[in-house]
């Protein structure tokens, strides 16, 4: 696609990887992050450092923002809006509160600029490999304008509707992932305490029709501990809370989601908030008083 003047605010594990790919594609990219080392890692690749979000806005046709919380995103958007070019687009990659997205979007639209929400799945590995899936909400014409750009840094983009729907879709996707992970660990703990070999159990579940994302794939890493943090348990807890907020506003009962959120609260109480989400295995072990160990796949 044609080279563009782009901006990026928030250069964490995911944002930094996406920004590096945009630089590699030859775009004129301005970047900002409170962590100077993150900025330097991008300027060494050819990006231009910006002192604040307002400086990014002055230089960019399209600006990406990737930050941890709705409050930070709203603050960045307000600063960006003070200097954004007419018809400029802010693409919010944050897993956000739908109500915040709608409120910020209305403010941006009044000033003749555009907000597109595009929370994503795939994590830092997906960002590096251009294998992200974007879950988009916003004006259809703005989405079509930005679709080619998203396509260069991801593998798929789904437009779910107006602002707010993208984050509803992302939060529900997270609910599926969190729930299947936790219920699988509960079941495996019951098996381990019953003396059942976990490898045999995993193979039985896969053949017997009770499989899910965790049991089909992620369970293979159950023995690994102390991984570098890609997606922190604190962020998972934030996302679970946002989902419960949305469900409460809509009047949708979500008792299972509430129980899974409590498991994430326990993880935080154990001091695991900064650890990678995969460390939730140890939470299940502590609660059940059992060690979960998966033997190697059987030959043949």
């Amino acid at each position: 696609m044609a080279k563009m003047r782009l901006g990026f605010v928030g250069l964490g594990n995911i944002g930094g990887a996406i920004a590096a790919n945009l630089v590699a594609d030859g775009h004129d990219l301005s970047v900002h992050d409170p962590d100077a080392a993150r900025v330097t890692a991008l300027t060494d690749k050819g990006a231009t450092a910006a002192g604040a979000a307002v400086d990014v806005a002055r230089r960019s046709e399209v600006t990406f923002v990737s930050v941890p919380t709705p409050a930070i995103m709203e603050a960045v958007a307000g600063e960006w809006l003070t200097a954004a070019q007419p018809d400029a687009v802010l693409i919010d990659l944050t897993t956000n509160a739908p109500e915040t997205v709608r409120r910020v979007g209305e403010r941006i639209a009044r000033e003749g600029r555009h907000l597109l929400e595009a929370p994503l799945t795939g994590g830092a590995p997906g960002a590096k490999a251009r294998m992200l899936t974007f879950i988009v909400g916003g004006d259809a014409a703005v989405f079509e304008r930005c679709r080619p750009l998203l396509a260069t840094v991801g593998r798929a983009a789904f437009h779910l509707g107006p602002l707010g729907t993208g984050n509803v879709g992302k939060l529900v996707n997270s609910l599926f992932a969190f729930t299947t992970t936790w219920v699988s660990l509960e079941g495996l703990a019951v098996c381990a305490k019953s003396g059942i070999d976990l490898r045999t159990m995993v193979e039985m579940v896969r053949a017997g029709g009770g499989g899910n994302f965790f049991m089909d794939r992620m369970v293979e890493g159950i023995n690994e501990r102390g991984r570098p943090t890609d997606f922190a348990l604190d962020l998972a807890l934030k996302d679970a809370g946002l989902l419960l907020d949305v469900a409460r506003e809509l009047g949708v009962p979500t008792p299972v989601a509430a129980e899974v959120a409590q498991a994430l609260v326990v993880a935080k109480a154990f001091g695991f908030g900064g650890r990678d989400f995969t460390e939730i295995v140890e939470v299940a072990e502590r609660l059940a008083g059992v060690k979960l160990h998966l033997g190697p796949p059987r030959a043949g």
Side-chain angles (χ1 to χ4, degrees):
M1 64 177 297
K3 308 310 178 189
M4 301 178 65
R5 289 179 293 107
L6 303 176
F8 217 109
V9 179
L11 304 172
N13 290 337
I14 295 174
I18 297 173
N21 284 333
L22 293 171
V23 172
D25 290 342
H27 295 292
D28 180 2
L29 184 70
S30 300
V31 297
H32 171 70
D33 191 281
D35 187 332
R38 292 176 176 177
V39 174
T40 299
L42 268 298
T43 57
D44 286 347
K45 291 179 169 65
T48 300
V54 66
D55 301 313
V56 173
R58 291 191 182 100
R59 302 170 184 172
S60 308
E61 306 165 59
V62 176
T63 299
F64 292 86
V65 56
S66 178
V67 292
T69 68
I72 297 174
M73 176 270 176
E74 188 164 9
V76 169
E79 185 177 348
W80 173 87
L81 187 56
T82 64
Q85 302 172 20
D87 207 36
V89 179
L90 182 66
I91 301 179
D92 178 28
L93 305 179
T94 308
T95 299
N96 212 327
E99 189 276 332
T100 298
V101 171
R102 289 189 290 266
R103 181 176 63 251
V104 172
E106 289 171 0
R107 179 183 175 192
I108 288 175
R110 286 196 298 268
E111 300 296 327
R113 281 76 173 171
H114 312 283
L115 176 66
L116 197 70
E117 61 175 337
L120 51 86
T121 66
K128 293 175 183 176
R130 301 177 187 254
M131 293 295 288
L132 296 170
T133 296
F134 296 97
I135 308 167
V136 183
D139 183 80
V142 178
F143 170 60
E144 291 301 328
R145 175 179 166 187
C146 297
R147 185 204 290 266
L149 189 57
L150 295 176
T152 65
V153 291
R155 62 176 175 174
F158 294 89
H159 183 237
L160 300 189
L163 285 175
T165 59
N167 271 284
V168 170
K170 169 59 190 292
L171 292 171
V172 170
N173 185 80
S174 295
L175 171 63
F176 294 161
F178 298 165
T179 302
T180 54
T181 296
W182 184 251
V183 76
S184 297
L185 292 172
E186 286 186 347
L188 291 175
V190 171
C191 291
K193 277 218 160 179
S194 299
I196 298 172
D197 174 73
L198 294 193
R199 173 57 66 183
T200 303
M201 186 64 193
V202 166
E203 292 177 357
M204 183 279 289
V205 168
R206 289 172 178 172
N212 56 53
F213 173 76
F214 181 83
M215 292 296 285
D216 291 344
R217 293 165 52 185
M218 302 305 293
V219 71
E220 297 297 337
I222 198 172
N223 300 336
E224 298 179 36
R225 306 298 161 87
R227 295 182 185 182
T229 300
D230 175 21
F231 177 55
L233 281 160
D234 271 344
L235 290 179
L237 177 57
K238 179 210 75 172
D239 292 358
L242 290 174
L243 183 278
L244 292 175
D245 289 343
V246 171
R248 182 170 56 251
E249 291 165 6
L250 294 172
V252 177
T254 50
V256 174
E259 289 299 324
V260 172
Q262 284 303 305
L264 293 166
V265 171
V266 172
K268 186 176 183 67
F270 283 171
F272 291 179
R275 295 195 193 181
D276 190 69
F277 180 77
T278 56
E279 299 289 294
I280 199 169
V281 175
E282 190 171 336
V283 178
E285 289 178 329
R286 287 195 184 189
L287 292 177
V290 69
K291 180 70 174 178
L292 300 179
H293 178 80
L294 185 65
R298 303 181 194 280

